[in-house]
Amino acid sequence: MNKEHLRSILNEVKSIAIVGASNNPDRDSFKVMQFLQNYGFKIFPVNPNLVNNKILGQECYSSLEAIEQDIDMVDVFRAIKFIPSIAHEAIKIRAKILWAQEGLYSEEAEAIAKKAGLKVVMNECPKKILEN
């Protein structure tokens, strides 16, 4: 997908769940989350190991289903083997977009999400799309 198309997808987004969010400022998930938050998106960090903690001022959730608000996009920072189950969770919460970060691609997750009508972007970084 070209950058213009990816930008048009991001233009539809108001809320993003960051699955695999980290409170470590050296981690890519932290840097991307910070950028997206500063860009104006409503961010929901998801990491079961960091529940009851805040990342960049946002309460951390144990799962996508624990978030009691509409989520437009699920941005995944987890190992490839977890992406299919995250795709199922994204469908359950009625997300519109499943996005997997650079270096992450799951054919199975892509098929699951597309079959349910989600837009799917994999092996791309929204920060890189928006900052250029």
Side-chain angles (χ1 to χ4, degrees):
M1 283 187 235
N2 68 31
K3 279 194 175 188
E4 289 305 310
H5 182 66
L6 294 174
R7 257 180 233 249
S8 72
I9 291 172
L10 291 168
N11 284 339
E12 301 171 23
V13 174
K14 290 182 178 48
S15 58
I16 303 174
I18 308 281
V19 179
S22 173
N23 57 1
N24 179 345
D26 294 330
R27 300 292 301 257
D28 288 340
S29 62
F30 183 94
K31 292 173 187 172
V32 170
M33 181 175 154
Q34 187 172 44
F35 175 88
L36 294 172
Q37 187 179 49
N38 291 340
Y39 198 85
F41 294 106
K42 189 163 175 69
I43 300 294
F44 298 89
V46 177
N47 185 329
N49 300 320
L50 295 173
V51 172
N52 299 323
N53 288 287
K54 289 190 175 188
I55 303 175
L56 294 166
Q58 302 302 308
E59 197 64 43
C60 195
Y61 294 88
S62 60
S63 67
L64 290 174
E65 291 182 79
I67 302 168
E68 295 179 354
Q69 296 187 44
D70 291 341
I71 300 296
D72 295 325
M73 181 172 116
V74 174
D75 190 5
V76 182
F77 283 89
R78 294 288 319 274
I80 292 169
K81 67 180 180 181
F82 297 113
I83 302 175
S85 64
I86 294 167
H88 285 295
E89 276 192 72
I91 293 162
K92 262 189 205 168
I93 66 160
R94 296 188 179 99
K96 298 176 186 83
I97 302 158
L98 177 67
W99 190 298
Q101 282 298 138
E102 280 184 332
L104 299 178
Y105 174 74
S106 166
E107 193 174 320
E108 180 185 357
E110 182 175 35
I112 290 165
K114 281 187 173 177
K115 185 177 178 190
L118 276 73
K119 291 181 182 170
V120 178
V121 177
M122 296 204 176
N123 193 26
E124 291 285 352
C125 178
K127 177 179 184 284
K128 289 183 178 178
I129 300 302
L130 294 170
E131 67 187 355
N132 295 324

